[in-house]
Amino acid sequence: MNYIKQFTVIFAILMAFFILPNLVLAHNGSRDELRGHFRSSDCMYLLHDPTRLAKSAHKMEELIKLINRYNSNSDCAAGLSEEKIDLEVYTFTGQEVNQRILLKLG
């Protein structure tokens, strides 16, 4: 009986160190041609490190078109809107950025 308890404890420890950390990874690292991806839990699009192609969009509507064209997740892309895009540190140049900042502050 003691061996069964020892085996259970050893098995639990191995699970904690080797298997569980792999289950909580944010994502597998794959990104689309814009260097972004959809978060599967809520279909939020995260633009981590925009490529030159992503930076060619001068406003949010253009970026949405690019995401729909270059991302293969059609389920999430179908419901894509400005509120579902996290630009992280990237900002558009020009007037649209100023308007978005004012909307968030106001």
Side-chain angles (χ1 to χ4, degrees):
M1 188 75 168
N2 244 351
Y3 293 110
I4 293 174
K5 287 182 182 178
Q6 289 176 347
F7 174 78
T8 304
V9 170
I10 291 171
F11 182 74
I13 291 171
L14 290 174
M15 288 276 296
F17 283 109
F18 296 107
I19 296 173
L20 292 178
N22 293 330
L23 296 177
V24 295
L25 292 175
H27 63 87
N28 63 7
S30 64
R31 298 178 183 172
D32 58 24
E33 292 184 44
L34 307 173
R35 283 202 203 119
H37 67 93
F38 283 103
R39 185 170 51 206
S40 59
S41 63
D42 60 358
C43 283
M44 185 77 156
Y45 184 82
L46 307 170
L47 186 61
H48 292 296
D49 183 24
T51 61
R52 192 175 283 182
L53 177 62
K55 291 177 181 180
S56 71
H58 298 289
K59 53 187 177 178
M60 189 62 79
E61 293 82 17
E62 293 174 5
L63 181 61
I64 290 173
K65 287 178 184 176
L66 288 173
I67 294 168
N68 284 324
R69 181 173 181 189
Y70 290 102
N71 194 285
S72 61
N73 188 337
S74 58
D75 291 336
C76 287
L80 189 60
S81 65
E82 286 188 36
E83 295 79 27
K84 288 283 195 177
I85 298 176
D86 183 354
L87 297 176
E88 295 188 353
V89 297
Y90 179 71
T91 58
F92 293 106
T93 57
Q95 187 176 7
E96 182 182 341
V97 174
N98 296 333
Q99 290 173 351
R100 292 183 71 215
I101 290 171
L102 288 175
L103 288 173
K104 286 183 180 182
L105 293 175

